[in-house]
Amino acid sequence: LAATSKAMNILMQTIFVALVSEIIFLLLLVTPWPAGFLGPILRAISSSKTLETAAKPLVWFFALVVANWLHSTREMLRLNGEYTDKKAGDIGQKLMHEVMMFRSQRDFYLAGFTALLLLVLRRIYLLVKEVHTLKASSTALKRQAEQAAAAYTSQLDEIEKLKKGAAASGSSPPATAKGVVSGR
């Protein structure tokens, strides 16, 4: 029983550390930083190979947190059901029962909020990654459109030069394939 209690204590401490780090990370993402400061952070997050490799162990950690949440929920409901029986007993048993209820409720909320924030952070990570990809494709499309516009204007300039050159020499402009077919 002592070894199980110690293992659960270490697990709950780990979950607490995860919850605190999730809150700090979420606050960093939600705080309205200047664009020059937040941009590099978001680019680093969205293109990080470390975060991609950490995703698999985080899924297992999430499963462990959810299992712990389910266990603490069951324990909390069991202790709440026994509370009326312990109410009439001696004060020592009643206090010990209330301590166990408090611990199970604490574990319930701690594991529940940690699991919820893991889901929220996962979704935010996927959205940041998608935004980074869309920004990259947007800049590529803008660059491609600018190059196409430049090529179009250079073609128009060349056509205008040819028309002016043909008009100055007095000859007709060169026939296009459409002009040859329609000229029959």
Side-chain angles (χ1 to χ4, degrees), residues 109-180:
Y109 288 116
L110 191 62
F113 286 129
T114 302
L116 179 69
L117 273 180
L118 276 172
L119 288 175
V120 168
L121 285 176
R122 169 91 172 136
R123 184 66 183 148
I124 287 174
Y125 170 71
L126 292 175
L127 289 174
V128 164
K129 197 170 183 175
E130 185 177 345
V131 164
H132 179 69
T133 305
L134 290 174
K135 278 186 180 180
S137 67
S138 171
T139 56
L141 287 174
K142 282 180 185 177
R143 218 175 292 128
Q144 185 180 6
E146 289 170 356
Q147 290 173 352
Y152 177 73
T153 55
S154 70
Q155 289 292 324
L156 282 179
D157 290 344
E158 188 177 328
I159 290 173
E160 288 298 319
K161 285 180 187 176
L162 287 176
K163 283 183 181 179
K164 284 181 184 178
S169 68
S171 65
S172 66
T176 61
K178 186 177 179 185
V180 170

Side-chain angles (χ1 to χ4, degrees), residues 95-114:
L95 288 176
M96 187 58 136
H97 193 270
E98 285 179 358
V99 166
M100 290 180 359
M101 277 180 46
F102 173 76
R103 186 175 293 140
S104 68
Q105 289 170 351
R106 178 202 63 194
D107 294 350
F108 169 79
Y109 288 116
L110 191 62
F113 286 129
T114 302

